[in-house]
Amino acid sequence: MTLLDRPAPTVADLVARLQDDRPAFHAGGTRTWYALPGTLELIADHAAGCRSLETGAGASTLVCAAVATTHTAISPSSDEHRRIRRYAEEVGVDTGHVTFVAGPSDRVLPTLDERVGFAFVDGKHSFPHPVVDFHYAQALLEPGGVLVLDDVPIPAVGVVWQHVHRSPDWAAVGMADDRAAAFRKLADAEDDDNWHLQAFNRGYPDFSFAAPHHRAALEAREAVGRLRRRLGAVLGRPPGP
Ligand SMILES: C[S@@+](CC[C@H](N)C(=O)[O-])C[C@H]1O[C@@H](n2cnc3c(N)ncnc32)[C@H](O)[C@@H]1O
């Protein structure tokens, strides 16, 4: 029987089968760094019927292949891609509409221009890679589309969450396994550099980089400056030097 003759598994069956089989896609076929089952279900809910994109590859690629109209998976290792394709064939998931791109996402993402309705960020987790992946993925995501960030407890990912969950351009639409967060994009990010209007930068000025005695001096100087500006506003004077 060929792949085309077999009924494709449902997402629930696919997720259960992955848990049973535990195929080792990662680290040269020695590791299973899959997204957790609830995260795979979250991906399926939001990638269904969309053009989709992910950084990293693995179980999530199979789920996207099962539900999305087209899918692009970016990770450096083509042997990982071969293992995923082979397993997909074994379990009856068509990958004919999946493009595997072998390369680091920070090099590959800037070369893409087709917009997608779903993006999953789960590639390299060292700082600043999740931020870089987010930067390019959010630009490719069309308004109304959904972004899922995996591994939010990792600070290099958490910093992206810190921005997205406060931004009026995004709405939280789900969380899975206490580590994967889904957000709907409401609007494209603006081109102007209005950093001072971003909720993420509300803590400005943050002098935590300075040694304690210097930090105290910087904070005192800032407090005096703020007081002067307030007084100037009350007295109707332009801000001084
Ligand atoms: C946590 S695993 C992804 C798991 C996958 N989402 C799943 O559900 O099985 C991390 C992935 O990032 C990939 N990776 C490592 N460095 C990368 C890079 N620079 N760019 C893109 N992907 C990278 C690894 O090859 C691996 O596929």
Side-chain angles (χ1 to χ4, degrees):
M1 199 155 57
T2 69
L3 184 60
L4 291 176
D5 302 324
R6 264 185 291 163
T10 63
V11 169
D13 288 346
L14 179 58
V15 172
R17 173 108 193 237
L18 279 161
Q19 299 311 304
D20 287 346
D21 294 348
R22 307 294 298 165
F25 299 133
H26 303 114
T30 62
R31 307 294 288 273
T32 53
W33 291 329
Y34 312 156
L36 293 174
T39 305
L40 295 174
E41 299 279 356
L42 185 69
I43 291 171
D45 288 349
H46 293 290
C50 295
R51 285 190 307 275
S52 62
L53 168 80
E54 72 180 315
T55 59
S60 48
T61 313
L62 291 157
V63 168
C64 288
V67 302
T69 54
T70 65
H71 182 63
T72 303
I74 306 161
S75 77
S77 110
S78 43
D79 66 299
E80 187 172 279
H81 303 163
R82 268 193 299 279
R83 278 188 287 274
I84 296 167
R85 269 196 209 284
R86 207 176 310 132
Y87 183 76
E89 217 167 287
E90 221 178 290
V91 297
V93 172
D94 181 17
T95 54
H97 55 305
V98 177
T99 305
F100 288 94
V101 187
S105 52
D106 55 346
R107 300 271 172 85
V108 175
L109 283 169
T111 69
L112 304 182
D113 53 15
E114 196 181 17
R115 293 196 104 179
V116 295
F118 176 80
F120 181 50
V121 170
D122 191 23
K124 191 167 179 174
H125 288 67
S126 353
F127 186 85
H129 291 273
V131 180
V132 174
D133 283 0
F134 165 74
H135 171 71
Y136 288 110
Q138 60 86 26
L140 291 168
L141 190 66
E142 50 206 12
V146 169
L147 168 85
V148 173
L149 290 174
D150 202 5
D151 299 310
V152 169
I154 298 176
V157 180
V159 72
V160 177
W161 184 86
Q162 289 293 343
H163 162 61
V164 177
H165 97 280
R166 291 177 202 169
S167 166
D169 293 344
W170 297 89
V173 291
M175 184 93 202
D177 304 313
D178 295 321
R179 58 191 309 117
F183 293 93
R184 188 174 305 285
K185 177 172 165 175
L186 304 179
D188 282 318
E190 59 172 272
D191 285 336
D192 295 342
D193 187 17
N194 287 321
W195 65 268
H196 57 290
L197 300 180
Q198 281 190 312
F200 182 81
N201 288 320
R202 217 161 263 161
Y204 174 82
D206 175 0
F207 296 120
S208 57
F209 62 86
H213 65 284
H214 189 46
R215 178 178 176 171
L218 290 171
E219 284 172 352
R221 194 173 67 189
E222 174 62 22
V224 170
R226 219 175 13 241
L227 195 64
R228 269 209 188 132
R229 287 191 293 275
R230 269 202 207 128
L231 268 175
V234 170
L235 300 174
R237 287 193 200 135

